[in-house]
Amino acid sequence: MRGPDEPHACAVWIAVGDTFKGSGFFVAEGVVATAAHVVSGAHAANITVGDASGSHKFAPEAIRAWPTHGGDSQFSPFPDLALLQVPERLGHPITRLVGADPEPGIAVTALGFSAETPTPGLQPDSLRLRVTGRSGEFGRIQGDGVRPGFSGCMLLDAEGLTVGVLKASRDYRKDRGGWFVPVSALHAVLREAGYEPNLASRPPQPPSDAELVEALMAFPSLGRSEGRQDLLETMGRRLGLPYSFEVEERSGRREHLGRLVHRCRHYRDESAALRALYGAMAELVPHDGALDQLRLVVEGAVGGWNLDE
């Protein structure tokens, strides 16, 4: 995850007149996202937006809300989102969004502002929460008590990526959890407003052992014990061993191939073992259509190396 100050640099507080109403965050150049009920009924000229530095305060030029008339309470209709145009604050850090809604059980951090910290006045604040599931069109969270001022703030996953927008608490005096707007709704609002979501690029995940086993299960030749032994002998030769690649014998094909994959993963050179696995199958059954999938899976497991080298 990025350092704690960097994500909070994307956050802002929002006041209507002299009253602190909630939090928000930069989602595009000169664009702040927040909950619609935070700015409901307010004119842009009467809104002040500020950041954690305390030295930058600015007024939005325009407000767009979804829905247009949603009320000013925690029960405002879905998606309860608003975008504030603040072009005078260009160059501000912009949060990165995940591509899909968070799964139940993941831990998230709410970064916003509140007046309920040990330091007097309005201060940057955070909450540690957990996604528990859906609540109608919204999501549910539990954990630290959600206090006034966090409405409209960003929810970050362990990598510092925004997974949603905090909507409201079930009870501002007790730790009863609350609701959030899933990130997919924020994607839709941004695109409707003409902005492309600042999606984070995640490196592709390496294939699991189960995926490697499934790729091997597609070869008819490995359905026979003799075929699997031929594979182990060829792998041993390709690795320069004076014997077959050693794998515990199993009568069942899937279990035997599972042991083979496990052995490759724990070989002294995992990449060499997996490359030998693919090379051996390409040598034994060069015209089998299952080779294409095995190649993709093994390339992913060894970091995209050229298996022909």
Side-chain angles (χ1 to χ4, degrees):
M1 179 174 172
R2 293 173 287 173
D5 292 337
E6 186 178 346
H8 232 138
C10 302
V12 300
W13 52 262
I14 299 170
V16 177
D18 296 327
T19 304
F20 168 54
K21 299 292 288 186
S23 302
F25 54 99
F26 278 90
V27 287
E29 187 76 6
V31 180
V32 165
T34 187
H37 72 266
V38 169
V39 294
S40 178
H43 295 290
N46 199 34
I47 294 176
T48 303
V49 179
D51 61 21
S53 72
S55 59
H56 294 106
K57 299 177 182 179
F58 36 93
E61 290 186 356
I63 303 170
R64 291 188 63 180
W66 290 260
T68 306
H69 303 289
D72 58 0
S73 76
Q74 62 184 17
F75 297 106
S76 297
F78 185 82
D80 191 16
L81 289 173
L83 299 179
L84 284 59
Q85 294 180 5
V86 286
E88 67 180 272
R89 190 64 179 98
L90 300 179
H92 202 288
I94 297 170
T95 191
R96 295 180 298 157
L97 311 179
V98 298
D101 293 337
E103 295 291 332
I106 76 163
V108 294
T109 301
L111 293 186
F113 291 81
S114 81
E116 300 190 13
T117 75
T119 305
L122 186 60
Q123 301 294 334
D125 203 356
S126 62
L127 304 171
R128 189 64 170 166
L129 304 164
R130 176 172 49 85
V131 175
T132 60
R134 302 290 294 189
S135 181
E137 294 177 290
F138 296 96
R140 283 274 286 118
I141 42 95
Q142 290 184 330
D144 287 346
V146 178
R147 299 298 182 242
F150 279 93
S151 292
C153 79
M154 53 188 168
L155 291 176
L156 304 182
D157 66 10
E159 297 179 56
L161 306 177
T162 296
V163 301
V165 182
L166 190 59
K167 175 177 172 61
S169 173
R170 287 177 60 88
D171 190 324
Y172 285 115
R173 296 295 100 192
K174 299 178 181 179
D175 297 351
R176 297 180 59 202
W179 301 277
F180 70 95
V181 182
V183 73
S184 58
L186 182 56
H187 293 172
V189 161
L190 285 168
R191 290 192 170 107
E192 184 177 336
Y195 303 103
E196 189 61 29
N198 185 30
L199 297 180
S201 57
R202 294 180 183 267
Q205 296 298 308
S208 65
D209 288 5
E211 289 175 285
L212 282 162
V213 170
E214 286 302 321
L216 291 170
M217 288 287 291
F219 290 92
S221 63
L222 298 182
R224 304 184 304 275
S225 177
E226 297 83 355
R228 298 194 293 276
Q229 290 304 321
D230 288 343
L231 169 59
L232 297 177
E233 290 175 6
T234 307
M235 285 182 66
R237 175 170 53 79
R238 283 180 162 267
L239 288 168
L241 304 175
Y243 41 77
S244 297
F245 189 68
E246 295 182 346
V247 176
E248 298 174 29
E249 181 63 53
R250 292 289 189 274
S251 57
R253 174 174 58 158
R254 184 178 293 276
E255 188 176 2
H256 196 189
L257 294 176
R259 295 307 304 170
L260 168 58
V261 170
H262 180 80
R263 179 79 172 87
C264 288
R265 293 290 203 186
H266 293 82
Y267 188 63
R268 61 177 181 268
D269 186 340
E270 177 186 344
S271 293
L274 291 171
R275 286 163 60 89
L277 170 62
Y278 171 78
M281 290 308 300
E283 179 180 332
L284 292 168
V285 285
H287 304 297
D288 195 312
L291 279 171
D292 290 340
Q293 180 59 26
L294 179 63
R295 182 188 185 98
L296 289 174
V297 175
V298 171
E299 283 181 340
V302 301
W305 291 0
N306 185 351
L307 298 178
D308 294 327
E309 293 178 350

